[in-house]
């Protein structure tokens, strides 16, 4: 169902908050529904910039989006099942092995990027990715829990997802004590980086601890290893466990309802991870309102820093004629540690926090549409990012386009940024994804082994 062209900015003011959310959610859903490969079921990492580059993490968000589509009656259950099965069958049968080319993965893991049409490793620079495999698995578990019928097709989907899950040798990816490695390259071995908390790998560690195959689970001390590097303190009037980019807070919590359940760290602090992320959201809004760096357009209604596209590595003038450094795709953020900000705002940062802080996010959705909708809002919702301070017009851009007198705006929609917007709107409205994922025995097992208790557990 198409939503038509972007309405003129003046029309947004007449819409209710719920109508704005409806429009955003449906456009964002259509990104996943309209862009996929009919043979592999893979979805693009970004569109329209690189339509042959498929991201397995984006597919995890897409599978979750199909469930939301059924819930909102944008597509039928049969249509979503057919689309989900297409991807699940492909992943199930895709070649696995240690060869540098011609495979989709190894040891049950998948490469970060696959060729959209052939479904094999995109090129020899692409790593076998633990985090991207875990985000793919999130979507797989979501459809596994949703399609619970007894008929042959729904049964096939559940069975094949379980097989995919059981193939992943998480223990193999734990090369250094208590921590999970980011990835592996054929002929070169394991990457030097291990995931240390607090970041988006919370979900990865829980899954790896809760594997349905005991011999492939990571060690019992893994959660302690992950949490050992947490940074708790005050930032912008909020006392919380800080993580500068907001996607660190959003990715895991799109699929896991942390309300009322606590691990040892959070029990000692007297809150849960959900409340922690609410505070992080409000701290980012306060950071933009204070705007010490003097970026153009920042205030309590225009904010949101996360990993996103940028103009490029460019030194040039800003809106006041001052020389600034601008950057390309980068993990932007604001926190006690790791603040990185070049004036580039990504709508997904604020909007994917709607489940945490709807009172802060809904006015921001409205303001972004009313102020800038004609530039930053399109067929599939918000373009990835924009920069109102940028005035280095005529520079060589790596992405996006100059808007004279206004700034810079991205040209692409990114699957890993579109997905959290749609999923968190669904959780805000009726707890759809949280409710489904609670039924997963593997997730429950991981949470308990990590020391979580209370609430729905």
């Amino acid at each position: 169902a198409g939503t038509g062209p972007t309405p003129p900015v003046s029309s947004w003011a007449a819409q209710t908050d719920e109508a704005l959310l409806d429009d955003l959610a449906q456009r964002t859903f259509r990104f996943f529904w309209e862009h996929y490969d009919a043979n592999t079921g893979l979805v693009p990492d970004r569109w329209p910039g690189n339509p042959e580059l498929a991201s397995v993490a984006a597919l995890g968000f897409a599978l979750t989006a199909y469930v939301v589509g059924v819930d909102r009656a944008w597509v039928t259950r049969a249509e979503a099942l057919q689309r989900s099965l297409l991807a699940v069958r492909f992943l199930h049968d895709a070649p696995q092995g240690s060869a540098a080319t011609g495979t989709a993965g190894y040891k049950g893991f998948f490469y970060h990027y696959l060729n959209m049409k052939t479904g094999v490793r995109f090129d020899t620079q692409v790593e076998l990715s633990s985090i991207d495999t875990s985000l793919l698995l999130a979507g797989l578990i979501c459809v596994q829990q949703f399609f619970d019928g007894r008929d042959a097709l729904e049964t096939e989907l559940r069975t094949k997802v379980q097989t995919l899950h059981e193939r992943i040798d998480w223990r193999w990816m734990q090369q250094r004590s208590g921590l999970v490695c980011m990835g592996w390259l054929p002929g070169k071995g394991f990457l030097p980086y291990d995931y240390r908390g607090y970041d988006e790998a919370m979900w990865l560690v829980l899954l790896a601890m809760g594997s349905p195959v005991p011999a492939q689970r990571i060690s019992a001390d893994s959660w302690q290893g992950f949490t050992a590097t947490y940074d708790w303190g005050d930032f912008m009037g909020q006392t919380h466990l800080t993580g500068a980019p907001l996607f660190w807070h959003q990715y895991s919590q799109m699929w896991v309802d942390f309300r009322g359940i606590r691990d040892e760290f959070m029990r000692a602090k007297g809150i849960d991870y959900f409340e922690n992320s609410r505070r992080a959201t409000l701290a980012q809004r306060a950071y933009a309102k204070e705007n010490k760096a003097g970026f153009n357009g920042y205030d309590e209604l225009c904010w949101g820093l996360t990993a996103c596209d940028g103009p490029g590595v460019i030194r040039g003038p800003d809106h006041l004629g001052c020389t600034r450094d601008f950057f390309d795709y980068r993990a932007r953020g604001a926190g006690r540690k790791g603040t990185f900000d070049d004036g580039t705002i990504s709508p997904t940062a604020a909007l994917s926090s709607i489940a945490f802080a709807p009172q802060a996010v809904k006015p921001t959705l409205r303001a972004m549409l009313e102020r800038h909708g004609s530039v930053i809002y399109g067929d599939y919702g918000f373009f990835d990012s924009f920069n109102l301070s940028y005035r280095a017009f005529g520079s060589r851009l790596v992405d996006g386009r100059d808007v004279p007198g206004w700034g810079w705006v991205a040209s692409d929609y990114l699957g890993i940024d579109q997905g959290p917007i749609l999923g968190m709107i669904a959780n805000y409205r009726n707890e759809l994804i949280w409710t489904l994922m609670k039924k997963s025995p593997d997730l429950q097992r991981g949470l308990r082994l990590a020391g979580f208790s209370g609430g729905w557990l």
Side-chain angles (χ1 to χ4, degrees), residues 246-382:
L246 279 176
F247 83 96
W248 286 8
H249 300 271
Q250 295 156 350
Y251 278 16
S252 296
Q253 295 198 59
M254 182 175 135
W255 287 287
V256 185
D257 182 2
F258 282 102
R259 294 175 303 172
I261 64 172
R262 300 175 183 176
D263 62 356
E264 181 181 1
F265 183 90
M266 284 300 177
R267 277 193 292 273
K269 301 302 182 187
I271 63 170
D272 54 36
Y273 284 99
F274 180 91
E275 167 61 19
N276 189 78
S277 294
R278 186 189 73 84
R279 295 179 184 184
T281 299
L282 297 178
Q284 260 224 23
R285 184 180 65 163
Y287 166 87
K289 183 178 180 180
E290 184 181 73
N291 193 18
K292 276 188 176 179
F295 289 114
N296 191 30
Y298 276 33
D299 60 25
E300 69 274 15
L301 294 175
C302 193
W303 54 276
L305 304 177
T306 195
C308 67
D309 281 339
V313 181
I314 298 167
R315 171 165 282 194
D318 69 3
H319 61 295
L320 297 176
C322 301
T323 299
R324 295 230 192 219
D325 289 314
F326 302 98
F327 295 90
D328 52 8
Y329 187 91
R330 198 67 66 95
R332 295 162 171 86
R336 270 168 48 90
K337 295 180 179 178
T339 294
F340 183 89
D341 184 10
D342 66 346
T344 303
I345 287 175
S346 185
T348 188
L351 300 175
S352 300
S353 283
I354 188 164
F356 304 136
Q359 297 85 357
V361 173
K362 286 196 281 189
T364 291
L365 168 59
R366 179 175 296 280
M368 285 184 176
L369 289 170
E370 291 184 2
R371 295 177 184 180
H372 311 299
S374 61
V375 178
I376 68 175
Y377 199 65
D379 288 347
Y380 303 114
F382 286 99

Side-chain angles (χ1 to χ4, degrees), residues 85-332:
L85 256 179
L86 175 66
V88 168
R89 285 168 174 164
F90 167 75
L91 294 169
H92 182 272
D93 298 337
Q96 289 252 336
S98 59
T101 59
T103 68
Y106 181 49
K107 296 279 189 179
F109 293 92
F110 286 90
Y111 285 101
H112 186 169
Y113 298 119
L114 303 176
N115 183 289
M116 187 90 156
K117 297 188 180 302
T118 65
V120 299
R121 186 185 186 197
F122 190 78
D123 63 38
T124 55
Q125 305 302 309
V126 175
E127 81 284 7
L128 193 75
S129 174
S130 58
I131 189 67
D132 293 281
T133 298
S134 78
L135 295 170
L136 169 63
L137 187 55
L140 289 168
I141 294 172
C142 187
V143 293
Q144 182 187 41
Q145 299 305 322
F146 181 75
F147 292 109
D148 57 358
R150 295 184 178 181
D151 63 275
L153 292 180
E154 296 202 10
T155 300
E156 178 194 353
L157 181 140
R158 292 194 302 276
T159 302
K160 281 185 161 68
V161 168
Q162 196 61 28
T163 300
L164 285 163
H165 196 169
E166 291 173 1
R167 284 179 189 167
I168 302 172
D169 189 351
W170 301 103
R171 186 170 295 181
W172 174 77
M173 196 63 85
Q174 189 172 43
Q175 290 293 304
R176 295 164 284 263
S177 177
L179 299 168
V180 180
C181 184
M182 177 184 271
W184 175 88
L185 291 166
K188 296 181 180 178
F190 292 93
L191 300 180
Y193 180 77
D194 296 315
Y195 281 107
R196 292 171 169 82
Y198 174 73
D199 58 26
E200 77 279 15
M202 178 188 285
W203 164 256
L204 160 63
V205 178
L206 292 172
L207 272 187
M209 292 188 75
S211 168
V213 183
Q216 293 170 189
R217 292 175 193 160
I218 57 175
S219 55
D221 64 350
S222 298
W223 192 252
Q224 284 70 35
F226 181 71
T227 60
T229 48
Y230 276 6
D231 178 49
W232 175 272
D234 296 321
F235 178 67
M236 297 309 303
Q238 300 291 335
T239 304
H240 64 299
L241 172 60
T242 60
L246 279 176
F247 83 96
W248 286 8
H249 300 271
Q250 295 156 350
Y251 278 16
S252 296
Q253 295 198 59
M254 182 175 135
W255 287 287
V256 185
D257 182 2
F258 282 102
R259 294 175 303 172
I261 64 172
R262 300 175 183 176
D263 62 356
E264 181 181 1
F265 183 90
M266 284 300 177
R267 277 193 292 273
K269 301 302 182 187
I271 63 170
D272 54 36
Y273 284 99
F274 180 91
E275 167 61 19
N276 189 78
S277 294
R278 186 189 73 84
R279 295 179 184 184
T281 299
L282 297 178
Q284 260 224 23
R285 184 180 65 163
Y287 166 87
K289 183 178 180 180
E290 184 181 73
N291 193 18
K292 276 188 176 179
F295 289 114
N296 191 30
Y298 276 33
D299 60 25
E300 69 274 15
L301 294 175
C302 193
W303 54 276
L305 304 177
T306 195
C308 67
D309 281 339
V313 181
I314 298 167
R315 171 165 282 194
D318 69 3
H319 61 295
L320 297 176
C322 301
T323 299
R324 295 230 192 219
D325 289 314
F326 302 98
F327 295 90
D328 52 8
Y329 187 91
R330 198 67 66 95
R332 295 162 171 86

